[in-house]
Amino acid sequence: QLSTAQPSPERVPSPEEQEWAGPEALCPGWLEDEAPDGEVPGDSGDPESATHAYERLQSALCQEGLPPTLDCSAEPRTGFGPLDMTVCILGSPTAFLPVLLEGGTRCPGAMVLCLSPSWASRVPSETSPGAWSLLLSRGVSFKAGGHSALETFVPPRRANYVTGTLAPGDPEGGWVGELARDLDCPTGGSVPLAHRLEDTLVTRWVLAAGANL
């Protein structure tokens, strides 16, 4: 008697699994730099936080029916100058996803999402004494049709506008607020402003003053 059991077909990886290259693509060399006690040196939660944020981005793109992010980090992008438009979003990929998608449609490649403090650096500004310029060595850029790509920039790409998750209670608010502090380019907010906007008493006072109460 022949068995009716059929061998299970080989599982075909999904497009998301084929494109997702793991933490090494997000923070190259982080495994080699691991400290003896098992803690990754440098900023807290990185690259684990970058990996988690990247996975959240892929989940959000999938829910919107958009293609997964392509890993193009092996071939660095070059040729960016100070006049090239770079709108940098720091932190959470989901809070600003509509902005990233719309910006990618209107200005393909200009919207860059930074998921980790190790992807950016602050250098003294050449145009504004006492201020800082934000340079991006890595980021997720967005293009028309909801397409996105994980890219590296050589030399680092200078941000012309910066915003991000600056809410005081957000787990990423610490490094986002530090990177966005005292920049020589316009920013979409600051940690002190976020504190002020979330202060219920101040908000009520402002509304009452506007109503002559």
Side-chain angles (χ1 to χ4, degrees), residues 20-34 40-41 43-54 71 73 114-120 137-139 150-152:
W20 167 229
E24 180 64 19
L26 299 178
C27 300
W30 73 279
L31 288 176
E32 291 81 353
D33 294 336
E34 187 173 6
V40 178
D43 51 87
S44 176
D46 182 63
E48 181 180 348
S49 61
T51 303
H52 180 61
Y54 189 90
D71 182 10
S73 57
C114 177
L115 298 176
S116 168
S118 65
W119 294 12
S137 58
R138 183 175 295 257
L150 175 64
E151 299 181 317
T152 54

Short mmCIF file of all heavy atoms in Angstrom, two decimals, residues 20-34 40-41 43-54 71 73 114-120 137-139 150-152:
data_model
loop_
_atom_site.label_atom_id
_atom_site.label_comp_id
_atom_site.label_asym_id
_atom_site.label_seq_id
_atom_site.Cartn_x
_atom_site.Cartn_y
_atom_site.Cartn_z
N TRP A 20 16.10 41.49 3.17
CA TRP A 20 16.58 41.83 4.51
C TRP A 20 17.90 41.12 4.76
O TRP A 20 17.97 39.91 4.83
CB TRP A 20 15.51 41.44 5.52
CG TRP A 20 15.96 41.44 6.96
CD1 TRP A 20 15.75 40.44 7.84
CD2 TRP A 20 16.66 42.44 7.66
NE1 TRP A 20 16.26 40.76 9.05
CE2 TRP A 20 16.84 41.98 8.99
CE3 TRP A 20 17.18 43.69 7.33
CZ2 TRP A 20 17.49 42.72 9.96
CZ3 TRP A 20 17.83 44.42 8.29
CH2 TRP A 20 17.97 43.94 9.58
N ALA A 21 18.94 41.90 4.90
CA ALA A 21 20.28 41.34 5.03
C ALA A 21 20.73 41.22 6.46
O ALA A 21 21.85 40.79 6.72
CB ALA A 21 21.28 42.20 4.24
N GLY A 22 19.89 41.61 7.42
CA GLY A 22 20.25 41.46 8.82
C GLY A 22 21.01 42.64 9.38
O GLY A 22 21.27 43.61 8.69
N PRO A 23 21.36 42.58 10.65
CA PRO A 23 22.02 43.71 11.32
C PRO A 23 23.34 44.10 10.69
O PRO A 23 23.74 45.25 10.76
CB PRO A 23 22.23 43.21 12.75
CG PRO A 23 21.39 41.99 12.90
CD PRO A 23 21.14 41.46 11.54
N GLU A 24 24.03 43.15 10.09
CA GLU A 24 25.34 43.47 9.52
C GLU A 24 25.22 44.50 8.42
O GLU A 24 26.11 45.32 8.22
CB GLU A 24 25.98 42.18 8.98
CG GLU A 24 27.36 42.39 8.34
CD GLU A 24 28.41 42.87 9.33
OE1 GLU A 24 28.21 42.70 10.54
OE2 GLU A 24 29.43 43.39 8.86
N ALA A 25 24.10 44.47 7.67
CA ALA A 25 23.90 45.47 6.62
C ALA A 25 23.61 46.84 7.21
O ALA A 25 23.94 47.87 6.62
CB ALA A 25 22.76 45.06 5.70
N LEU A 26 22.99 46.88 8.39
CA LEU A 26 22.65 48.14 9.01
C LEU A 26 23.84 48.76 9.73
O LEU A 26 24.04 49.96 9.70
CB LEU A 26 21.50 47.94 10.01
CG LEU A 26 20.20 47.42 9.40
CD1 LEU A 26 19.17 47.21 10.50
CD2 LEU A 26 19.68 48.38 8.36
N CYS A 27 24.62 47.96 10.41
CA CYS A 27 25.79 48.44 11.16
C CYS A 27 26.96 47.51 10.87
O CYS A 27 27.22 46.58 11.65
CB CYS A 27 25.50 48.50 12.65
SG CYS A 27 24.14 49.59 13.08
N PRO A 28 27.65 47.70 9.75
CA PRO A 28 28.74 46.79 9.38
C PRO A 28 29.79 46.70 10.47
O PRO A 28 30.20 47.70 11.04
CB PRO A 28 29.31 47.42 8.11
CG PRO A 28 28.21 48.28 7.58
CD PRO A 28 27.47 48.78 8.78
N GLY A 29 30.23 45.47 10.76
CA GLY A 29 31.31 45.25 11.71
C GLY A 29 30.88 45.22 13.16
O GLY A 29 31.73 45.09 14.04
N TRP A 30 29.59 45.33 13.43
CA TRP A 30 29.18 45.42 14.84
C TRP A 30 29.42 44.12 15.57
O TRP A 30 29.66 44.12 16.77
CB TRP A 30 27.73 45.84 14.95
CG TRP A 30 26.72 44.79 14.57
CD1 TRP A 30 26.32 44.47 13.31
CD2 TRP A 30 25.97 43.95 15.44
NE1 TRP A 30 25.38 43.49 13.34
CE2 TRP A 30 25.14 43.14 14.63
CE3 TRP A 30 25.92 43.80 16.83
CZ2 TRP A 30 24.28 42.20 15.17
CZ3 TRP A 30 25.05 42.85 17.36
CH2 TRP A 30 24.24 42.06 16.53
N LEU A 31 29.40 42.99 14.87
CA LEU A 31 29.66 41.72 15.54
C LEU A 31 31.11 41.63 15.98
O LEU A 31 31.43 41.17 17.06
CB LEU A 31 29.31 40.56 14.61
CG LEU A 31 27.80 40.33 14.38
CD1 LEU A 31 27.60 39.22 13.35
CD2 LEU A 31 27.09 39.98 15.68
N GLU A 32 32.02 42.12 15.11
CA GLU A 32 33.43 42.06 15.45
C GLU A 32 33.77 42.98 16.61
O GLU A 32 34.69 42.75 17.36
CB GLU A 32 34.29 42.45 14.23
CG GLU A 32 34.25 41.42 13.11
CD GLU A 32 33.01 41.55 12.24
OE1 GLU A 32 32.11 42.36 12.57
OE2 GLU A 32 32.93 40.84 11.23
N ASP A 33 32.98 44.09 16.75
CA ASP A 33 33.27 45.07 17.79
C ASP A 33 32.57 44.77 19.10
O ASP A 33 32.58 45.60 20.01
CB ASP A 33 32.85 46.48 17.31
CG ASP A 33 33.70 46.92 16.14
OD1 ASP A 33 34.83 46.41 16.00
OD2 ASP A 33 33.21 47.75 15.36
N GLU A 34 31.95 43.62 19.22
CA GLU A 34 31.19 43.32 20.42
C GLU A 34 32.12 43.25 21.63
O GLU A 34 33.20 42.68 21.59
CB GLU A 34 30.44 42.00 20.24
CG GLU A 34 29.49 41.70 21.38
CD GLU A 34 28.65 40.48 21.09
OE1 GLU A 34 28.91 39.84 20.07
OE2 GLU A 34 27.76 40.16 21.90
N VAL A 40 27.19 45.71 23.15
CA VAL A 40 27.78 46.38 22.00
C VAL A 40 28.24 47.76 22.42
O VAL A 40 27.48 48.52 23.03
CB VAL A 40 26.73 46.50 20.87
CG1 VAL A 40 27.31 47.24 19.69
CG2 VAL A 40 26.28 45.11 20.47
N PRO A 41 29.51 48.12 22.18
CA PRO A 41 29.99 49.43 22.59
C PRO A 41 29.31 50.53 21.82
O PRO A 41 28.76 50.31 20.75
CB PRO A 41 31.49 49.37 22.28
CG PRO A 41 31.61 48.35 21.20
CD PRO A 41 30.53 47.34 21.48
N ASP A 43 26.55 53.69 21.32
CA ASP A 43 25.25 54.15 21.78
C ASP A 43 24.40 52.99 22.23
O ASP A 43 24.50 51.88 21.74
CB ASP A 43 24.55 54.92 20.65
CG ASP A 43 24.55 54.12 19.36
OD1 ASP A 43 23.63 53.32 19.16
OD2 ASP A 43 25.50 54.29 18.58
N SER A 44 23.53 53.26 23.20
CA SER A 44 22.69 52.23 23.78
C SER A 44 21.67 51.73 22.77
O SER A 44 21.02 52.51 22.08
CB SER A 44 21.97 52.80 25.00
OG SER A 44 21.07 51.85 25.52
N GLY A 45 21.52 50.41 22.68
CA GLY A 45 20.49 49.83 21.84
C GLY A 45 20.87 49.71 20.38
O GLY A 45 20.06 49.29 19.57
N ASP A 46 22.05 50.11 20.00
CA ASP A 46 22.47 50.03 18.61
C ASP A 46 23.53 48.96 18.49
O ASP A 46 24.43 48.92 19.30
CB ASP A 46 23.04 51.38 18.16
CG ASP A 46 23.46 51.35 16.70
OD1 ASP A 46 22.60 51.17 15.84
OD2 ASP A 46 24.67 51.51 16.46
N PRO A 47 23.46 48.02 17.53
CA PRO A 47 22.58 48.05 16.37
C PRO A 47 21.22 47.39 16.57
O PRO A 47 20.42 47.32 15.64
CB PRO A 47 23.38 47.29 15.32
CG PRO A 47 24.10 46.26 16.13
CD PRO A 47 24.44 46.92 17.44
N GLU A 48 20.95 46.86 17.75
CA GLU A 48 19.68 46.18 17.96
C GLU A 48 18.51 47.10 17.66
O GLU A 48 17.53 46.70 17.03
CB GLU A 48 19.60 45.67 19.40
CG GLU A 48 18.32 44.92 19.70
CD GLU A 48 18.27 44.44 21.13
OE1 GLU A 48 19.32 44.50 21.80
OE2 GLU A 48 17.20 44.03 21.56
N SER A 49 18.60 48.37 18.09
CA SER A 49 17.52 49.31 17.84
C SER A 49 17.38 49.59 16.35
O SER A 49 16.26 49.75 15.85
CB SER A 49 17.77 50.61 18.61
OG SER A 49 18.98 51.21 18.17
N ALA A 50 18.50 49.68 15.65
CA ALA A 50 18.44 49.90 14.20
C ALA A 50 17.80 48.72 13.50
O ALA A 50 17.00 48.88 12.58
CB ALA A 50 19.84 50.15 13.65
N THR A 51 18.14 47.51 13.95
CA THR A 51 17.54 46.31 13.37
C THR A 51 16.04 46.29 13.60
O THR A 51 15.26 46.01 12.69
CB THR A 51 18.18 45.06 13.99
OG1 THR A 51 19.59 45.10 13.79
CG2 THR A 51 17.61 43.80 13.36
N HIS A 52 15.63 46.62 14.83
CA HIS A 52 14.21 46.63 15.16
C HIS A 52 13.47 47.69 14.35
O HIS A 52 12.37 47.45 13.84
CB HIS A 52 14.02 46.87 16.65
CG HIS A 52 12.60 46.90 17.09
ND1 HIS A 52 11.75 45.83 16.94
CD2 HIS A 52 11.86 47.90 17.67
CE1 HIS A 52 10.54 46.16 17.41
NE2 HIS A 52 10.60 47.40 17.85
N ALA A 53 14.06 48.87 14.23
CA ALA A 53 13.44 49.94 13.47
C ALA A 53 13.34 49.58 11.99
O ALA A 53 12.34 49.88 11.33
CB ALA A 53 14.23 51.24 13.64
N TYR A 54 14.36 48.92 11.47
CA TYR A 54 14.35 48.51 10.07
C TYR A 54 13.24 47.48 9.84
O TYR A 54 12.53 47.52 8.82
CB TYR A 54 15.71 47.92 9.70
CG TYR A 54 15.89 47.66 8.22
CD1 TYR A 54 16.40 48.64 7.39
CD2 TYR A 54 15.57 46.43 7.66
CE1 TYR A 54 16.58 48.40 6.03
CE2 TYR A 54 15.74 46.19 6.31
CZ TYR A 54 16.25 47.17 5.50
OH TYR A 54 16.41 46.94 4.17
N ASP A 71 18.61 46.56 -0.38
CA ASP A 71 19.91 46.79 0.27
C ASP A 71 20.93 47.14 -0.80
O ASP A 71 21.45 46.27 -1.49
CB ASP A 71 20.33 45.55 1.04
CG ASP A 71 21.65 45.76 1.77
OD1 ASP A 71 22.13 46.90 1.84
OD2 ASP A 71 22.22 44.76 2.25
N SER A 73 23.64 49.04 0.07
CA SER A 73 24.73 49.59 0.87
C SER A 73 26.10 49.13 0.42
O SER A 73 27.10 49.75 0.78
CB SER A 73 24.53 49.24 2.34
OG SER A 73 24.45 47.83 2.51
N CYS A 114 17.05 58.14 8.89
CA CYS A 114 18.19 57.72 9.71
C CYS A 114 17.66 56.95 10.91
O CYS A 114 16.94 57.51 11.74
CB CYS A 114 19.00 58.93 10.16
SG CYS A 114 20.39 58.54 11.25
N LEU A 115 18.01 55.68 11.02
CA LEU A 115 17.47 54.81 12.05
C LEU A 115 18.41 54.60 13.24
O LEU A 115 18.03 53.93 14.20
CB LEU A 115 17.13 53.43 11.45
CG LEU A 115 16.06 53.43 10.36
CD1 LEU A 115 15.91 52.03 9.78
CD2 LEU A 115 14.74 53.93 10.90
N SER A 116 19.61 55.14 13.18
CA SER A 116 20.58 54.90 14.25
C SER A 116 21.53 56.08 14.36
O SER A 116 21.90 56.69 13.34
CB SER A 116 21.37 53.62 13.95
OG SER A 116 22.49 53.50 14.82
N PRO A 117 21.97 56.43 15.58
CA PRO A 117 22.95 57.51 15.72
C PRO A 117 24.29 57.18 15.09
O PRO A 117 25.07 58.08 14.80
CB PRO A 117 23.07 57.67 17.24
CG PRO A 117 22.59 56.39 17.82
CD PRO A 117 21.54 55.88 16.88
N SER A 118 24.57 55.89 14.88
CA SER A 118 25.83 55.52 14.23
C SER A 118 25.80 55.81 12.74
O SER A 118 26.83 55.72 12.08
CB SER A 118 26.13 54.04 14.48
OG SER A 118 25.16 53.22 13.86
N TRP A 119 24.64 56.15 12.20
CA TRP A 119 24.53 56.47 10.78
C TRP A 119 24.83 57.93 10.49
O TRP A 119 24.88 58.34 9.33
CB TRP A 119 23.13 56.15 10.27
CG TRP A 119 22.77 54.70 10.29
CD1 TRP A 119 23.44 53.69 10.91
CD2 TRP A 119 21.63 54.09 9.67
NE1 TRP A 119 22.79 52.50 10.71
CE2 TRP A 119 21.67 52.71 9.96
CE3 TRP A 119 20.57 54.58 8.90
CZ2 TRP A 119 20.72 51.82 9.49
CZ3 TRP A 119 19.61 53.70 8.44
CH2 TRP A 119 19.69 52.33 8.74
N ALA A 120 25.00 58.75 11.52
CA ALA A 120 25.17 60.19 11.34
C ALA A 120 26.27 60.70 12.25
O ALA A 120 26.66 60.06 13.22
CB ALA A 120 23.87 60.92 11.62
N SER A 137 26.16 59.16 6.92
CA SER A 137 26.98 58.16 6.24
C SER A 137 26.14 56.99 5.75
O SER A 137 26.61 56.18 4.95
CB SER A 137 28.06 57.64 7.19
OG SER A 137 27.47 57.08 8.36
N ARG A 138 24.89 56.90 6.23
CA ARG A 138 24.00 55.80 5.87
C ARG A 138 22.56 56.24 6.06
O ARG A 138 22.27 57.12 6.88
CB ARG A 138 24.31 54.59 6.76
CG ARG A 138 23.50 53.33 6.45
CD ARG A 138 24.00 52.20 7.33
NE ARG A 138 25.37 51.84 7.01
CZ ARG A 138 25.72 50.77 6.30
NH1 ARG A 138 24.79 49.94 5.89
NH2 ARG A 138 26.98 50.51 6.05
N GLY A 139 21.66 55.68 5.29
CA GLY A 139 20.26 56.04 5.44
C GLY A 139 19.39 55.26 4.47
O GLY A 139 19.90 54.58 3.56
N LEU A 150 18.33 51.06 1.17
CA LEU A 150 19.34 51.27 2.21
C LEU A 150 20.64 51.60 1.52
O LEU A 150 21.17 50.80 0.74
CB LEU A 150 19.48 50.01 3.07
CG LEU A 150 20.57 50.03 4.13
CD1 LEU A 150 20.30 51.10 5.18
CD2 LEU A 150 20.71 48.66 4.79
N GLU A 151 21.18 52.80 1.79
CA GLU A 151 22.35 53.27 1.06
C GLU A 151 23.42 53.79 2.02
O GLU A 151 23.13 54.21 3.15
CB GLU A 151 21.96 54.40 0.10
CG GLU A 151 20.96 53.98 -0.96
CD GLU A 151 20.61 55.11 -1.91
OE1 GLU A 151 20.41 56.24 -1.42
OE2 GLU A 151 20.53 54.87 -3.11
N THR A 152 24.65 53.75 1.55
CA THR A 152 25.77 54.40 2.24
C THR A 152 26.23 55.57 1.38
O THR A 152 26.13 55.53 0.14
CB THR A 152 26.93 53.43 2.48
OG1 THR A 152 27.31 52.83 1.22
CG2 THR A 152 26.52 52.32 3.44
#
